């Protein structure tokens, strides 16, 4: 066994309340499986952490044995940075809990919770906070990277609604980061990824969100040019209670899509309206959808917010092959439109896709230096994702994604949402994602993790003394 012997493993099992699984143990292969089935790594052990005491114990064990650590929330890391061959995965999934204070409109969330846990707990009080678009995504990884989704134009990024975070450092020190306590760490946690410690709980501000207006509008993929040229003007000018992300996709063979559209390549927008409820208000907000030409499909309905958050879960379950890359954009130029036209027509598999998520509106109001998120001037966060259930198609989807990204990247702002970076990227790529904030992040890293203990991530090495 890499990193430590059987006696050491038994000592860890004895010390933890959570389970410890090693190669050969029943359940090990299932436990090492993450959302992206393209990742096939074999940690020396996976240690489930029930509470802060377990986290501190696992970190102490990793320090003493010299085994390489990685941290897993829900296992949604595209490049699989929550697993290291021969390393020790500190698994937070047992820490799935949410405590809502409806009067204060806050939620305290365990570090292993998923978006669906937060959505469910808050919804009973008619509340929510901006997160991603799939309920199976982990709260921790999404938040530490920034977090954007259906509520972003109205209420900002996930990090804009983070009030505090409980953190265990590499040396076992426990602290709470907030605007008043360890403000340098609090600044870094809001977009700086998992570089600084293990976050065992997050406290978020909640907003009144109950039933939202949902619409899905598709046009034939041959209309990508007309639709994007309309969308790039329409959405930034729309009220902030209307969010809509642009998508290239193959129509799935399932309701609510009519059978003649099944399997057809399309472009479209998935809309969320958080204004006054009612079908008429939603239709009024979308009265211009015919401008780029009549859509092939336009579906509208009121929906409880958690239902919208689960809309894609069944289409994209755990166990698919994934390869993705991303970039930020301040505009959708005509040259970029041409790239989208070319690669939209060439979608390689039925699940492969491209999304452009709006990050304007409320997400642009914080100051450029208020958080580690370095692209407050961006309008869209884009991701290209090659997806397929068959391992035999892994190279096909990877090549399409790389070619698409290579053609589109010159028309981007240069950096990307940290959670949309692919394999553990080069220092230059990570530096570009943080722009002028990189050196400040490296200083915070030196303060809180001077030995770069937490490096299984899009890593920011500590600044030199």
């Amino acid at each position: 066994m890499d990193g430590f012997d059987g006696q050491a493993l038994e000592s860890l099992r004895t010390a933890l309340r959570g389970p410890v699984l090693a190669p050969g143990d029943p359940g090990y292969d299932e436990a090492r499986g993450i959302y992206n089935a393209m990742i096939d790594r074999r940690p020396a052990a996976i240690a489930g952490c029930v509470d802060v005491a377990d986290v501190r114990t696992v970190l102490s064990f990793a320090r003493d044995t010299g085994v390489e650590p990685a941290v897993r929330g829900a296992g949604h890391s595209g490049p699989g940075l929550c697993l290291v061959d021969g390393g020790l995965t500190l698994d937070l999934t047992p820490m799935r809990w949410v405590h809502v204070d409806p009067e204060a409109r806050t939620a305290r969330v365990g570090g292993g919770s998923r978006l669906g846990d937060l959505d469910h707990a808050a919804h009973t009080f008619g509340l929510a906070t901006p997160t991603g678009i799939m309920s199976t995504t982990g709260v921790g990884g999404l938040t530490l990277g920034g977090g954007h989704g259906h509520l972003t134009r109205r209420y900002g990024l996930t990090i804009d609604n983070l009030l505090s975070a409980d953190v265990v450092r590499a040396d076992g020190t426990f602290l709470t980061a907030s605007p008043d306590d360890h403000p340098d760490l609090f600044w870094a946690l809001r977009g700086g990824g998992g570089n600084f410690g293990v976050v065992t709980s997050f406290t978020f501000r909640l907003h009144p969100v109950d039933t939202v207006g949902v619409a899905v509008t598709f046009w034939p993929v041959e209309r990508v040019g007309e639709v994007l040229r309309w969308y790039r003007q329409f959405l930034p000018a729309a009220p902030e209670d209307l969010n809509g992300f642009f998508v290239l996709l193959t129509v799935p063979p399932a309701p609510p899509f009519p059978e003649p559209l099944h399997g057809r390549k399309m472009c479209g927008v998935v809309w969320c309206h958080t204004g006054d409820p009612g079908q008429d208000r939603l239709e009024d907000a979308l009265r211009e959808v015919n401008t780029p030409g009549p859509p092939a499909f336009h579906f509208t309905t009121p929906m409880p917010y958690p239902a919208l958050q689960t809309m894609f879960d069944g289409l994209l379950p755990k166990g698919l092959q994934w390869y993705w890359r991303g970039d930020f954009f301040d505009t959708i130029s005509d040259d970029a439109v041409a790239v989208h036209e070319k690669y939209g027509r060439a979608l390689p598999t039925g699940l492969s896709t491209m999304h452009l998520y709006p990050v304007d509106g409320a997400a642009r109001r914080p100051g450029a230096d208020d958080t580690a998120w370095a692209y407050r001037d961006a309008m869209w966060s884009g991701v290209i994702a090659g997806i397929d259930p068959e391992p035999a198609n892994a190279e096909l989807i990877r090549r399409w994604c790389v070619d698409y990204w290579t053609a589109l990247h010159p028309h981007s702002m240069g950096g990307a949402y940290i959670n949309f970076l692919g394999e553990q990227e080069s220092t230059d790529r990570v530096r570009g994602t943080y722009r002028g904030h990189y050196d400040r992040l490296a200083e915070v890293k030196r303060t809180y993790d001077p030995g770069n203990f937490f490096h299984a991530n899009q890593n920011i090495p500590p600044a030199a003394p």
Side-chain angles (χ1 to χ4, degrees):
M1 179 182 297
D2 293 338
F4 47 87
D5 59 26
Q7 184 176 355
L9 182 64
E10 288 308 311
S11 71
L12 180 62
R13 286 186 167 128
T14 301
L16 288 194
R17 294 181 67 195
V20 179
L21 297 173
D25 289 342
Y28 169 81
D29 283 327
E30 181 180 357
R32 73 183 180 90
I34 59 173
Y35 189 69
N36 183 1
M38 194 179 286
I39 307 301
D40 183 20
R41 299 190 185 127
R42 300 181 65 83
I46 301 169
C49 296
V50 172
D51 53 23
V52 171
D54 277 359
V55 171
R56 297 185 74 224
T57 298
V58 174
L59 292 179
S60 176
F61 179 85
R63 291 195 309 272
D64 291 345
T65 60
V67 69
E68 187 175 5
V71 182
R72 178 168 72 184
H76 257 252
S77 168
L81 301 179
C82 49
L83 299 173
V84 176
D85 279 325
L88 175 62
T89 289
L90 193 156
D91 184 9
L92 300 179
T93 55
M95 300 176 69
R96 288 182 66 179
W97 50 263
V98 179
H99 299 153
V100 174
D101 182 335
E103 293 189 7
R105 291 185 177 177
T106 61
R108 189 164 175 254
V109 183
S113 301
R114 300 179 181 183
L115 304 190
D117 302 326
L118 173 56
D119 294 336
H120 170 78
H123 182 69
T124 192
F125 301 108
L127 300 170
T129 203
T131 56
I133 67 163
M134 293 187 65
S135 75
T136 56
T137 303
V139 170
L142 177 122
T143 300
L144 296 174
H148 53 60
H150 297 296
L151 303 181
T152 293
R153 298 190 76 237
R154 180 73 181 271
Y155 295 120
L157 303 172
T158 306
I159 54 173
D160 298 334
N161 295 277
L162 181 65
L163 300 175
S164 67
D166 290 339
V167 183
V168 182
R169 294 176 56 190
D171 63 2
T173 304
F174 176 82
L175 54 84
T176 298
S178 72
D180 298 319
D181 297 304
H182 306 283
D184 55 340
L185 177 60
F186 185 62
W187 175 86
L189 292 174
R190 288 176 292 161
N195 276 283
F196 309 99
V198 180
V199 181
T200 57
S201 74
F202 302 83
T203 300
F204 296 103
R205 178 187 303 108
L206 301 176
H207 303 274
V209 178
D210 194 344
T211 297
V212 296
V214 176
V216 179
T217 311
F218 289 162
W219 293 263
V221 73
E222 293 78 16
R223 304 284 292 280
V224 167
E226 296 97 319
V227 174
L228 271 177
R229 282 186 283 271
W230 166 74
Y231 171 79
R232 70 186 181 188
Q233 301 296 326
F234 170 76
L235 191 67
E240 291 176 3
D241 56 16
L242 180 66
N243 197 90
F245 70 85
F246 180 87
V247 59
L248 293 168
L249 81 164
T250 301
V251 178
F257 308 114
E259 189 171 346
L261 297 185
H262 291 178
R264 289 186 59 185
K265 294 175 181 177
M266 294 272 176
C267 64
V269 183
V270 178
W271 309 96
C272 173
H273 185 246
T274 55
D276 292 338
Q279 192 79 359
D280 291 343
R281 297 302 301 267
L282 175 59
E283 292 289 0
D284 184 59
L286 297 176
R287 61 186 179 276
E288 294 185 32
V289 295
N290 288 315
T291 301
F297 177 78
H298 182 62
F299 172 80
T300 63
T301 186
M303 188 178 290
Y305 178 68
L308 171 61
Q309 289 287 84
T310 62
M311 196 162 69
F312 301 104
D313 290 0
L315 181 65
L316 298 170
K318 178 181 177 180
L320 300 173
Q321 305 281 310
W322 283 76
Y323 191 91
W324 65 32
R325 290 192 178 184
D327 268 319
F328 285 120
F329 301 88
D330 55 1
T331 186
I332 303 172
S333 68
D334 288 344
D335 288 339
V337 169
V339 175
H340 291 304
E341 287 178 313
K342 176 180 177 180
Y343 288 94
R345 293 189 180 101
L347 289 166
T349 60
L351 294 175
S352 295
T353 188
M354 189 283 303
H355 293 179
L356 289 170
Y357 296 99
V359 287
D360 62 325
R364 299 189 94 189
R365 281 199 278 280
D369 298 326
D370 287 354
T371 65
W373 177 281
Y375 280 83
R376 292 293 178 177
D377 52 342
M379 294 294 290
W380 286 278
S381 171
V383 63
I384 302 163
I387 313 169
D388 196 69
E390 293 298 327
N393 287 330
E395 179 56 27
L396 173 69
I397 61 177
R398 190 195 73 83
R399 175 48 51 196
W400 171 80
C401 178
V402 171
D403 290 348
Y404 192 167
W405 180 86
T406 300
L408 189 61
H409 181 65
H411 312 296
S412 75
M413 300 175 75
Y417 178 35
I418 200 72
N419 290 341
F420 287 161
L421 294 187
E423 304 102 327
Q424 195 165 23
E425 301 251 6
S426 68
T427 300
D428 287 345
R429 177 72 166 144
V430 175
R431 181 182 286 274
T433 287
Y434 289 115
R435 289 172 150 176
H437 293 166
Y438 184 88
D439 289 342
R440 181 177 173 185
L441 285 164
E443 292 288 346
V444 177
K445 177 76 167 179
R446 182 174 66 181
T447 299
Y448 291 92
D449 184 19
N452 203 15
F453 185 77
F454 297 109
H455 59 266
N457 45 45
Q458 301 296 353
N459 194 232
I460 302 169

